Amino acid sequence: MKQLLLTLYALLLCQTTMAQQEFHVFPNVSITKNGDGSIQNPWDLQTALNQSSNVVNGGDTIWLHKGVYNGRFISNISSTVEGKYITVVPYKNEKVVLNGNVLSNKKQVLEVRGANVTFKDFEVTFLGNFPRHVKESGFLKVDGINHTSGYDNKFINLKIYNNPGSGFGSWKFTGGSVIYGCKIYNNGFFSNARGSGAGIYVQNISEKSRKIENNIIFNNYYMGIEAWSASTNADAAYVKNILIKDNVVFNNGSPGNHYKNNLIVATDDKNGINRATNIKVLDNVFYHNADISNTAKGDAASLTLGVNSKAPLKNVEVKGNVIIGGNNSLRFDNAENTVFENNLVYAGYVHLDKSILSNISGWTFNNNNYFSKNSRNFRIINHRDYTFDDWKSSFKQDSNSQWSNIKQFSSDVVLNVIQNEYNENSFHIALMDVKGEIVTVDFSDYNFPTGTKYKIVDVENPNKILSEGILPLNSKVEFIMQLTEFEKPLHNEYAKKTLSNFGVFEIEFQPESTQAEKSGWFGRLFKWLGF
């Protein structure tokens, strides 16, 4: 028994020694020099985000307690401990909102300057009334998050919406960072000419890869994701090494009264130095409202690759994507060493710039499924329209691909089911049904017990539970497609609900905790010791 107790003491000591520091932040806390971040004497948010690595470092957690944090904030914290992150996260899954609708000259609700920090599970927005047109008195462009410096940060399961600027700026000196599981929507404003403000604006000068994965990005005033630089006189390459994977990006531009690219990958550099390079676009869904039963029409580019013939894309892979939009749903202007495989394309035609003729020999197009409204469905602007057979024979591309008239459109009903890496009970789901009928999704691969409770939310109406249920024996769950309610951007009348042929949902399962989980660490330890 004595030896057993010594063993227990050693284990407890080890557990205590390994424990990292925890700090607490509350809204409406008065700034005080005496705050130490304890729950008895907490910090305000900006004080917490100003801490040096001598106080807050890798492995530590900054807990954000429930409430609205009014202000615009700058995060200067950094981890200097190799392989360990500082985590900024709500306490016990409480609802935390950063509200930037305050008097301030800062250009974003949250600016991130530090490195090796994980920001997780909170909201970034403007609440209440605010100008949303550049001509309105008091208008100020304010982004949701701007990550301006610091490598290897993670932005996980954030909700970024209704900011009068872009949702997220991920700038060139921030390589190695991850944007995962975020819902980014209803961001932007009206400029003099059009809607402005992207969901994500991303650059990267680093050799470290930038990951944009499993996000839902929709109804932003301008584009969905811009992997882009507008500079025409660059002296370095800084749109490179970016992975865009498993995202659902739809109806961007709608609040600005004109559909815009759900994704653009390009630069406008006239020197040919800053070329979009080593970009991977894998297994995403890009959609604009399209009456699938009729015909593609109008200007609604969903994916644009390349813009400037002097800065062609280089080493770009586009695989396994669903690309649906208007006449010019897919625009492929200029690229070298490009792979375009296993994609589904719904468009009036495939739009190609004449400049592709000089480098198409380095392309690999294959195993794609095209739907367009006429037989001359590959249009090289200011050159020639090609039938699918002519395209294949003239350019030796798409030998194993298929083409069909748009009226014969078909696709998988379940476009994707993505389990959240940071919450295994939560899934993002994109569905396509031409008739808008109820769609059944099979969850048997995920081994949830029969009788597990679940709730479903339409991501366009996030504050209302669409349905609740109990998982049946066959593990199949029904999703309603005929929906009309949605959360419009604040102070906007142009945004439209997605048509019933397409739907994006979040389902969360609620398995009962096991007794071992309920008993906590000490309970499990004593059970292991035989008590």
Side-chain angles (χ1 to χ4, degrees):
M1 176 60 72
K2 182 177 180 180
Q3 183 61 42
L4 184 60
L5 291 174
L6 287 172
T7 301
L8 176 59
Y9 175 77
L11 287 169
L12 291 173
L13 181 63
C14 180
Q15 178 74 6
T16 302
T17 303
M18 292 173 62
Q20 302 298 325
Q21 296 185 100
E22 298 182 354
F23 301 95
H24 295 267
V25 175
F26 284 83
N28 305 317
V29 170
S30 297
I31 299 175
T32 169
K33 295 180 180 179
N34 298 323
D36 59 7
S38 66
I39 197 164
Q40 297 84 7
N41 200 6
W43 290 321
D44 67 282
L45 180 53
Q46 188 57 66
T47 298
L49 297 177
N50 281 340
Q51 296 302 313
S52 72
S53 57
N54 292 328
V55 179
V56 179
N57 212 328
D60 294 344
T61 299
I62 295 175
W63 293 111
L64 307 181
H65 286 260
K66 180 180 180 181
V68 175
Y69 292 76
N70 296 306
R72 300 184 196 161
F73 306 96
I74 299 174
S75 178
N76 295 300
I77 52 176
S78 282
S79 168
T80 61
V81 181
E82 186 175 356
K84 289 190 176 183
Y85 286 74
I86 298 169
T87 301
V88 181
V89 64
Y91 184 71
K92 293 186 176 180
N93 297 315
E94 293 176 344
K95 183 175 180 178
V96 170
V97 180
L98 274 55
N99 170 36
N101 190 9
V102 299
L103 291 175
S104 173
N105 290 323
K106 294 186 177 72
K107 304 300 185 182
Q108 54 278 312
V109 181
L110 175 64
E111 181 182 0
V112 175
R113 297 177 178 175
N116 297 293
V117 182
T118 296
F119 301 88
K120 186 180 176 187
D121 292 337
F122 56 83
E123 301 182 10
V124 179
T125 189
F126 262 50
L127 299 175
N129 191 36
F130 54 93
R132 209 151 191 177
H133 196 293
V134 293
K135 292 185 177 180
E136 288 185 74
S137 175
F139 173 81
L140 182 65
K141 176 183 177 293
V142 180
D143 299 327
I145 296 177
N146 268 325
H147 182 194
T148 55
S149 62
Y151 285 179
D152 299 318
N153 287 304
K154 295 181 181 180
F155 302 87
I156 308 299
N157 295 342
L158 301 176
K159 185 177 174 183
I160 306 169
Y161 63 103
N162 272 326
N163 297 286
S166 291
F168 198 119
S170 186
W171 298 99
K172 59 185 177 182
F173 295 113
T174 59
S177 294
V178 175
I179 305 169
Y180 182 95
C182 297
K183 289 184 277 292
I184 303 174
Y185 63 98
N186 292 358
N187 299 290
F189 61 97
F190 286 104
S191 64
N192 288 322
R194 56 169 171 80
S196 296
I200 297 177
Y201 194 108
V202 58
Q203 299 175 344
N204 186 19
I205 201 169
S206 168
E207 295 306 314
K208 292 185 174 185
S209 179
R210 179 75 49 82
K211 295 181 181 179
I212 301 173
E213 188 172 356
N214 193 19
N215 303 286
I216 300 176
I217 302 167
F218 63 96
N219 270 358
N220 297 289
Y221 276 60
Y222 193 46
M223 298 189 191
I225 302 174
E226 291 188 81
W228 164 255
S229 167
S231 173
T232 59
N233 190 28
D235 57 6
Y238 53 88
V239 181
K240 64 181 184 179
N241 303 328
I242 301 170
L243 172 66
I244 300 170
K245 185 176 187 293
D246 286 334
N247 304 283
V248 182
V249 192
F250 64 100
N251 283 349
N252 290 286
S254 175
N257 202 28
H258 193 83
Y259 292 121
K260 291 295 181 180
N261 286 294
N262 286 312
L263 170 64
I264 185 171
V265 179
T267 78
D268 202 21
D269 181 31
K270 302 299 190 293
N271 296 331
I273 294 172
N274 187 20
R275 298 168 59 183
T277 303
N278 190 26
I279 313 292
K280 291 180 170 58
V281 182
L282 309 177
D283 301 321
N284 304 279
V285 177
F286 304 114
Y287 172 93
H288 280 310
N289 274 344
D291 185 359
I292 301 295
S293 62
N294 188 8
T295 183
K297 57 184 178 181
D299 179 18
S302 206
L303 173 61
T304 292
L305 300 164
V307 168
N308 181 356
S309 62
K310 293 184 178 180
L313 309 184
K314 184 178 180 181
N315 298 331
V316 172
E317 293 185 12
V318 182
K319 296 181 178 180
N321 302 280
V322 175
I323 305 160
I324 294 174
N327 265 335
N328 54 347
S329 175
L330 174 61
R331 294 174 58 96
F332 221 122
D333 283 1
N334 198 13
E336 295 178 2
N337 303 326
T338 296
V339 177
F340 189 82
E341 294 181 335
N342 300 306
N343 301 290
L344 182 149
V345 179
Y346 171 101
Y349 49 85
V350 176
H351 175 118
L352 301 154
D353 188 78
K354 187 177 180 180
S355 59
I356 67 135
L357 296 171
S358 62
N359 51 35
I360 195 171
S361 60
W363 292 11
T364 302
F365 276 43
N366 215 353
N367 297 311
N368 300 299
N369 198 359
Y370 300 97
F371 295 88
S372 64
K373 65 183 181 181
N374 57 54
S375 59
R376 294 187 176 275
N377 54 314
F378 283 78
R379 175 169 294 179
I380 301 180
I381 305 301
N382 297 322
H383 177 65
R384 177 182 165 187
D385 290 357
Y386 290 83
T387 66
F388 185 56
D389 288 339
D390 287 344
W391 163 259
K392 291 195 294 183
S393 62
S394 296
F395 299 107
K396 311 304 178 188
Q397 301 291 340
D398 279 314
S399 60
N400 293 315
S401 299
Q402 302 294 321
W403 172 82
S404 300
N405 187 276
I406 215 161
K407 294 181 180 180
Q408 298 172 296
F409 176 83
S410 64
S411 74
D412 293 335
V413 175
V414 180
L415 300 179
N416 70 14
V417 176
I418 307 297
Q419 187 174 24
N420 194 294
E421 181 180 335
Y422 297 87
N423 179 3
E424 63 182 11
N425 297 322
S426 180
F427 297 77
H428 290 166
I429 297 164
L431 305 175
M432 167 70 69
D433 185 84
V434 173
K435 296 180 180 179
E437 297 179 345
I438 291 175
V439 174
T440 300
V441 179
D442 188 349
F443 289 93
S444 57
D445 287 345
Y446 301 99
N447 299 315
F448 290 109
T450 299
T452 299
K453 295 180 180 179
Y454 65 81
K455 59 182 178 181
I456 298 172
V457 173
D458 175 6
V459 298
E460 293 178 85
N461 198 25
N463 295 314
K464 181 178 179 180
I465 296 174
L466 178 62
S467 62
E468 297 179 273
I470 296 175
L471 193 67
L473 184 62
N474 64 7
S475 296
K476 293 182 178 180
V477 176
E478 291 185 340
F479 290 79
I480 301 169
M481 300 289 284
Q482 296 282 353
L483 301 171
T484 57
E485 292 184 50
F486 77 112
E487 183 182 298
K488 278 190 174 183
L490 290 178
H491 324 307
N492 181 280
E493 295 300 324
Y494 291 107
K496 298 178 179 63
K497 177 74 172 89
T498 298
L499 296 176
S500 294
N501 57 39
F502 182 75
V504 185
F505 303 90
E506 185 173 36
I507 184 170
E508 184 156 356
F509 293 93
Q510 300 167 303
E512 293 187 9
S513 299
T514 65
Q515 189 60 42
E517 289 171 334
K518 290 179 179 178
S519 63
W521 186 85
F522 287 103
R524 294 195 298 274
L525 174 62
F526 276 90
K527 184 176 180 180
W528 175 73
L529 292 171
F531 289 97

